Structure formats: structure tokens, C-alpha cells
């Protein structure tokens, strides 16, 4: 997906021109993958725009940094304010927001502790992530998700995405739009950049955090909405074959939003169409983010935008 640029990027407390947001090739992150980051969406509503669950995303960034012993010199409130300032300065909505903290130019060698921590936040237009208008055709990957006690999957770290890249490339080369990885015990884990849900006999299932998944903020939102709609929810380890015989299945993620799965390994899920439970959750989610329904959980942080550019 080509990157669309905006005017400014936030760097260590200041807005700088997009093209000036550069790092040295000898920065620690380039060699050792020492970054943590976030992906956040800002949605357009009739009377403006709102950033979806900004505080939860920035809290996850702070937690990812904590796991990697990376001190962030900004508070949660300052990071939230930085995002609002940036979007308002760039005037682009709807948009995707990418905060990233990493170990910069300092020392060579694996130990990151003496390399400075740099923080940047960019925003840019970005549309649909998982393609397939009538549902996504996906596969089970031959790659496993991160093994426990190797790479912490609750940290959204740049290095985790080398595993995601293997999953995604394999899927792409074999003619699928996305791959789902199993964990190292063979249970369902997640997509390369999405959490996984399935529906069977009216019950909504998702894989728990112990199956090497990211604690997705969209995942959490769907669990909240399911409980609101009275849909029974079960978080438990799920065998691969349950997906094949599910009535419905879908991905969630900031980029993927709520994307229903038409087939897995060419086995059609249900009748291949978006089923009633997925449809209800999809509607409940989009009603809130679009402003069609009241924001009863305070999920949207308002931003004032001068100009709207549709992604
Ligand atoms: C590996 C992985 N799992 C799950 C998700 C979904 O998380 P969220 O809903 O917070 O975007 C993402 C996206 O950030 C991801 O990269």
C-alpha cells in the first residue's frame, strides 16, 4: 500500500516537516529491531472527527515500552495531546495514526540501554486493510506465532512483525489475503495483524491472551459490544478445526476493523456470507465510530479538523 504523506510529524515534543523525520542508518533500531509502536484510527463523523480509544492505545504503547525497559519521557496525557495536536495540524481525516518509540543512534551492540529513546507520531490517510469485498479468503500459516518466553506477544514491538511478515508473505504467495498462525502448541492464535473470532451455535469465541496474541483494542471493543448485545462470549484455547466447522469467523484490528472470513484453507465458513452475529457486531462497531450511535463508552477523542481528505 503506497504511503500518503502529510505535512507534519510529531517528534520528541515538536512538529517537524514530514521529510525531516529521518534517522541514522547506525541507529540501534535498524540493526536490532528495538521499537514499539501503535496503530490508531481517527474516524470522521458528521460534526468532526474522533480518535478511537486513544488512551488505551497510548497505554499499550507505554506498556510495550515498559516490557522492553524503554523509558518514555512523556506521560499518557502528553502523548494523547500530541496525537490531537498532530491531526489538527495536518487536517487529514479519516486517518491512521502511527506512534513509534525506538532506540536511536548511540551505541553499537545488542544492549539497547545506552541508546537514546526517540518518539515520533505520524498520521496519514489509510483505507481498507484486509481485501475481499465479500469476505476474506485466508489460510492457516505454516509459521507459528511467537512462542511464550521468546518474544512477548503483549508488547507491540517492531521485531514481532518479522514473524507477521513471514505469515503475510506466505499467504500472499499462495493466493490468500491473510494467514492465521497457530501458537507453538498448535492452537489458533491470530492473523499477522489481527485478532481472531469465531461463532458456533450462537456463542462467540476468541483466543485468550495466553495463546500468543496481541491484546487487541478492537478485540476488547468487540467483547464489550457482544456483552452489550447479550451474545455469550468464551475466551478459550481453540483447535484449528473448530474454525473450519464454525458458523461464522472474523478478524478484528485497527487496520482490519471487523472483516468477516469467507473461507479458511479453501473451506467455506458457514455459507460464506457475513453471518448474523458478525453483522450485529460489525454494525454496533461502525455505528459508534461513525457517530450514528451514541459513544456510550467514551471511546472517541474529538479532534477539530480544518479540512477533510477521504482515504
Ligand atoms: C499481531 C496483531 N494482532 C492483533 C492486532 C489487533 O489489535 P488492535 O485491535 O489493537 O489494532 C494487531 C494490530 O495492531 C496486530 O498487529
Amino acid at each position: 500500500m503506497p504511503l500518503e504523506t502529510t505535512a507534519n510529524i510529531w517528534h520528541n515534543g515538536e512538529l517537524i516537516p514530514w521529510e525531516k523525520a529521518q534517522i541514522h542508518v547506525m541507529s540501534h533500531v535498524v540493526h536490532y529491531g528495538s521499537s514499539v509502536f501503535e496503530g490508531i484510527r481517527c474516524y470522521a463523523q458528521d460534526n468532526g472527527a474522533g480518535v478511537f480509544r486513544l488512551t488505551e492505545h497510548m497505554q499499550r504503547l507505554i506498556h510495550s515500552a515498559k516490557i522492553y525497559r524503554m523509558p518514555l519521557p512523556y506521560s499518557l496525557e502528553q502523548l494523547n495531546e500530541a496525537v490531537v495536536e498532530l491531526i489538527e495540524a495536518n487536517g487529514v481525516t479519516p486517518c491512521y495514526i502511527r506512534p513509534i518509540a525506538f532506540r536511536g543512534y548511540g551505541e553499537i551492540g545488542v544492549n539497547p540501554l545506552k541508546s537514546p529513546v526517540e518518539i515520533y507520531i505520524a498520521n496519514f490517510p489509510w483505507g481498507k486493510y484486509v481485501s475481499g469485498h465479500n469476505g476474506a479468503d485466508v489460510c492457516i500459516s505454516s509459521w507459528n506465532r511467537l512462542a511464550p518466553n521468546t518474544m512477548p506477544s503483549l508488547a507491540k514491538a517492531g521485531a514481532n512483525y518479522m514473524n507477521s511478515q513471514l505469515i503475510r508473505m506466505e499467504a500472499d504467495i499462495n493466493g490468500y489475503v491473510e494467514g492465521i498462525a497457530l501458537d507453538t502448541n498448535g492452537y489458533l492464535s491470530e492473523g499477522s495483524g489481527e485478532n481472531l473470532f469465531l461463532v458456533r451455535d450462537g456463542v462467540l469465541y476468541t483466543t485468550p491472551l495466553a495463546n500468543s496474541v496481541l491484546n487487541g483494542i478492537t478485540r476488547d471493543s468487540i467483547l464489550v459490544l457482544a456483552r452489550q448485545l447479550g451474545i455469550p462470549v468464551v475466551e478459550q484455547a481453540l483447535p484449528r478445526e473448530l474454525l473450519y466447522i464454525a458458523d461464522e469467523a472474523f478478524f478484528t484490528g485497527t487496520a482490519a476493523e471487523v472483516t468477516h472470513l469467507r473461507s479458511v484453507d479453501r473451506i467455506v465458513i458457514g455459507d460464506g456470507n457475513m453471518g448474523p452475529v458478525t453483522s450485529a457486531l460489525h454494525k454496533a462497531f461502525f455505528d459508534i465510530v461513525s457517530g450514528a450511535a451514541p459513544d456510550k463508552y467514551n471511546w472517541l477523542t474529538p479532534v477539530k479538523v480544518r479540512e477533510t481528505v477521504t482515504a
Side-chain angles (χ1 to χ4, degrees):
M1 205 158 333
L3 188 57
E4 285 187 56
T5 61
T6 48
N8 305 287
I9 287 187
W10 186 95
H11 175 226
N12 292 353
E14 283 176 48
L15 293 181
I16 59 171
W18 177 282
E19 58 284 355
K20 292 262 163 63
Q22 292 183 355
I23 61 168
H24 197 278
V25 71
M26 294 309 291
S27 300
H28 194 274
V29 60
V30 177
H31 302 257
Y32 305 112
S34 38
S35 69
V36 295
F37 69 99
E38 272 306 315
I40 312 172
R41 270 194 198 261
C42 174
Y43 287 92
Q45 289 105 30
D46 281 349
N47 303 323
V51 184
F52 187 64
R53 304 197 71 177
L54 176 58
T55 294
E56 290 85 346
H57 279 283
M58 285 309 193
Q59 187 62 69
R60 188 170 66 185
L61 182 76
I62 291 169
H63 285 159
S64 299
K66 184 173 187 185
I67 291 168
Y68 279 100
R69 303 174 193 275
M70 200 183 271
L72 295 186
Y74 298 96
S75 65
L76 180 62
E77 292 69 31
Q78 286 170 318
L79 293 170
N80 286 350
E81 281 163 18
V83 168
V84 173
E85 180 192 359
L86 177 74
I87 298 174
E88 290 182 352
N90 282 335
V92 176
T93 184
C95 69
Y96 186 86
I97 304 135
R98 168 53 54 81
I100 183 161
F102 58 84
R103 292 285 182 175
Y105 181 88
E107 292 198 344
I108 194 72
V110 169
N111 185 349
L113 295 176
K114 296 216 173 111
S115 294
V117 175
E118 308 257 4
I119 311 185
Y120 289 82
I121 309 174
N123 80 315
F124 44 88
W126 194 10
K128 197 170 162 64
Y129 179 66
V130 179
S131 55
H133 290 296
N134 300 313
D137 296 316
V138 305
C139 61
I140 301 292
S141 183
S142 69
W143 294 100
N144 285 141
R145 205 65 183 125
L146 313 164
N149 230 10
T150 59
M151 304 281 289
S153 52
L154 294 189
K156 190 170 168 67
N160 293 1
Y161 289 81
M162 291 302 275
N163 172 262
S164 292
Q165 288 176 46
L166 292 168
I167 296 165
R168 186 68 188 241
M169 286 189 290
E170 182 187 58
D172 189 68
I173 285 162
N174 291 328
Y176 299 96
V177 297
E178 181 56 293
I180 295 168
L182 306 178
D183 70 8
T184 49
N185 292 315
Y187 291 108
L188 290 171
S189 180
E190 61 179 351
S192 74
E194 308 86 15
N195 291 111
L196 177 66
F197 284 82
L198 62 87
V199 180
R200 201 163 138 81
D201 297 330
V203 178
L204 182 67
Y205 295 87
T206 194
T207 51
L209 301 187
N211 290 115
S212 299
V213 303
L214 183 70
N215 56 344
I217 288 157
T218 323
R219 173 187 183 277
D220 178 71
S221 310
I222 289 298
L223 291 174
V224 169
L225 294 172
R227 290 184 179 112
Q228 174 193 303
L229 294 173
I231 299 165
V233 172
V234 176
E235 288 181 65
Q236 62 163 63
L238 300 171
R240 166 184 189 157
E241 62 276 19
L242 196 61
L243 196 49
Y244 298 142
I245 58 173
D247 303 321
E248 306 175 31
F250 60 93
F251 279 147
T252 63
T254 298
E257 298 170 308
V258 179
T259 299
H260 101 267
L261 306 188
R262 180 166 60 186
S263 69
V264 180
D265 293 338
R266 309 274 180 235
I267 298 176
V268 176
I269 307 302
D271 66 3
N273 295 314
M274 193 189 286
V277 174
T278 312
S279 300
L281 291 165
H282 185 275
K283 179 173 184 322
F285 177 82
F286 281 100
D287 278 356
I288 290 185
V289 300
S290 67
D295 179 20
K296 63 193 271 194
Y297 304 107
N298 287 323
W299 281 345
L300 295 168
T301 299
V303 286
K304 294 187 205 73
V305 263
R306 293 183 265 111
E307 186 188 330
T308 295
V309 176
T310 306

